[in-house]
Amino acid sequence: PQADDDDFDDDDDDFDDDDGFVDFDHEADAAAAERAALAAARARQAEWPQWSDSEDTTQMWSIIYNGNVEALEKWINFAPAVVKMRSADGRGPLWWAFEYGRTDMVDLLISNGADKDAADTHGISPQEMEAST
């Protein structure tokens, strides 16, 4: 059987090119992602409210740089929140442990609550520091 021209209705929208497609606003999506990232950074910062360079952050950096696991364990036992300590650039013990290849310290920090998925002020996670060494 052959189809007649009457079988094809020009008003039928079943074959419109844009059926099922939603306009996507890339700029709005990027802005929403940026707002979400900033909100997440603020929430993480609340865990260690003052991201600053201090005697404590300097001492922690020194402990990790020198591989002094015993001193790190003592500090964590005395004040468990130190695993979330941050310097002004948003980096802290876990970033430095990854950076200097201190796998024993990485494991100790993570097992005591350090967030391996956190980000510093540049969006760099602790794990990404490992690749930069």
Side-chain angles (χ1 to χ4, degrees):
Q2 283 191 334
D4 293 334
D5 285 338
D6 294 336
D7 290 340
F8 297 100
D9 185 358
D10 289 338
D11 294 331
D12 188 2
D13 288 336
D14 289 343
F15 297 104
D16 284 351
D17 287 339
D18 60 355
D19 274 355
F21 290 95
V22 177
D23 287 334
F24 188 75
D25 186 343
H26 294 281
E27 288 180 23
D29 189 53
E34 183 176 355
R35 284 190 303 275
L38 288 172
R42 284 188 203 103
R44 286 190 299 272
Q45 185 174 359
E47 295 175 351
W48 189 266
Q50 292 185 338
W51 287 12
S52 63
D53 295 328
S54 66
E55 289 181 29
D56 286 339
T57 55
T58 300
Q59 184 177 359
M60 179 63 77
W61 177 87
S62 179
I63 287 169
I64 292 170
Y65 177 80
N66 290 304
N68 191 339
V69 177
E70 183 180 336
L72 180 59
E73 287 174 336
K74 286 180 181 179
W75 202 350
I76 292 171
N77 289 333
F78 177 74
V82 299
V83 301
K84 297 180 181 183
M85 173 188 292
R86 300 288 194 97
S87 62
D89 63 2
R91 294 183 182 171
L94 193 55
W95 279 261
W96 304 322
F98 269 110
E99 181 177 12
Y100 297 115
R102 308 283 189 220
T103 55
D104 49 352
M105 292 179 158
V106 166
D107 294 340
L108 177 63
L109 290 162
I110 291 172
S111 70
N112 281 280
D115 182 1
K116 65 182 184 334
D117 297 317
D120 67 10
T121 57
H122 302 288
I124 298 171
S125 73
Q127 293 174 335
E128 291 175 279
M129 295 301 291
E130 184 175 39
S132 70
T133 59

